[in-house]
Amino acid sequence: MIIKVEQTKQNKFEIKINNELKYFSSMEKIPEMTSYRKGKGTITNIDGSICYTLLPSEKSSVFFGKIRRKYCIFNSLNQNCGTFYKLVSGFLNSKHVIEYENYKLSCYSISIGKTQNISIYNGENQIAEIIKSIQSLENYYIFLLDEYTNLQAILSLFVSYLEYEDMHSDNTTEAVGVSYTFDKNNKFYNKNWIKNNFNKEDINLITEQIQEERKKRY
């Protein structure tokens, strides 16, 4: 399964699965909260019904070895069913974590030239990879194994959270053209994972789309 998360307006996204529009997601700053950038997120079906709501947790730390940028996930019945947060364990050692129902997913982000790649693991097994062009601020692509289709909405919401909290999508600063990271996340990146699990034609099509996006922007 390939999911495209396309930014249509600032912090507003359309989510297409295998080229079919499935969801809308958004992040917006909560006016009454004084903490920097703290926002509220939602993901809805195309009919407008809410799938999940994302709200910042009051229990977050800003120190090394602690949790940062923690948000709580609420389902359509307003039940707390998980969290997103960043875990910093030391110098050059951090990851994002998705806790959802019985899952605890570790998300390792690296920059390799013109793309940012986020490898998502369920235990020791990689189940997804998110790709974002460093030169294009609009779109993400999620490669998700078909047996984890129940995570498609959660991962799409995670991308909205990531763009809002980490990529600073409401800033006007342009992204750099090329970037590389050198930290402990590098060992979790398998350059052949997408090639080994997805159709070659689909991969080539997305590569072409990213290149076209760069041409339009630059």
Side-chain angles (χ1 to χ4, degrees):
M1 171 184 306
I2 300 175
I3 304 168
K4 182 178 182 181
V5 183
E6 181 176 357
Q7 187 168 200
T8 56
K9 294 181 180 179
Q10 197 172 71
N11 297 317
K12 294 184 182 296
F13 305 87
E14 290 183 351
I15 294 97
K16 297 177 181 178
I17 299 176
N18 297 330
N19 293 319
E20 182 179 353
L21 182 62
K22 289 289 188 179
Y23 305 104
F24 299 103
S25 68
S26 65
M27 289 288 295
E28 59 183 354
K29 195 174 188 311
I30 302 175
E32 59 270 23
M33 294 195 69
T34 57
S35 297
Y36 173 64
R37 297 185 56 77
K38 289 299 184 181
K40 174 183 177 181
T42 57
I43 184 166
T44 67
N45 291 302
I46 56 176
D47 64 2
S49 58
I50 291 178
C51 299
Y52 300 102
T53 302
L54 201 62
L55 291 172
S57 170
E58 295 180 357
K59 299 179 180 179
S60 295
S61 175
V62 295
F63 300 102
F64 267 15
K66 300 295 183 180
I67 291 172
R68 297 181 176 185
R69 298 169 182 162
K70 184 175 182 180
Y71 280 71
C72 296
I73 307 166
F74 296 89
N75 62 21
S76 58
L77 300 177
N78 204 32
Q79 299 167 329
N80 189 344
C81 58
T83 56
F84 297 153
Y85 58 88
K86 186 173 185 178
L87 183 62
V88 180
S89 300
F91 182 66
L92 297 179
N93 189 9
S94 65
K95 65 180 179 180
H96 282 90
V97 178
I98 300 171
E99 294 185 4
Y100 171 69
E101 295 184 347
N102 295 324
Y103 292 99
K104 187 172 184 178
L105 308 177
S106 297
C107 309
Y108 303 97
S109 177
I110 71 167
S111 296
I112 48 171
K114 293 185 178 181
T115 62
Q116 180 181 20
N117 296 57
I118 302 165
S119 302
I120 300 178
Y121 282 77
N122 181 28
E124 296 182 354
N125 299 316
Q126 186 172 353
I127 66 165
E129 186 169 331
I130 300 171
I131 293 180
K132 176 183 185 290
S133 170
I134 289 177
Q135 286 185 311
S136 174
L137 298 180
E138 289 85 357
N139 302 329
Y140 289 78
Y141 297 89
I142 306 171
F143 292 82
L144 176 65
L145 297 180
D146 287 341
E147 55 264 42
Y148 293 93
T149 184
N150 58 316
L151 295 175
Q152 61 186 23
I154 286 295
L155 291 184
S156 298
L157 182 60
F158 173 71
V159 165
S160 300
Y161 151 86
L162 194 69
E163 175 73 9
Y164 184 80
E165 283 288 330
D166 270 20
M167 305 305 160
H168 310 299
S169 62
D170 62 349
N171 290 351
T172 57
T173 304
E174 293 286 347
V176 296
V178 178
S179 178
Y180 292 89
T181 54
F182 302 93
D183 59 27
K184 295 183 179 181
N185 286 352
N186 288 30
K187 65 182 179 181
F188 294 102
Y189 174 64
N190 178 358
K191 65 180 181 180
N192 295 317
W193 186 83
I194 291 177
K195 182 176 67 175
N196 291 340
N197 289 281
F198 292 85
N199 183 281
K200 182 179 179 180
E201 293 181 358
D202 292 335
I203 298 171
N204 290 339
L205 180 60
I206 288 176
T207 301
E208 291 174 3
Q209 289 177 357
I210 291 175
Q211 291 173 346
E212 287 299 317
E213 289 162 9
R214 289 175 183 153
K215 290 178 182 178
K216 290 178 182 178
R217 194 168 185 85
Y218 298 94

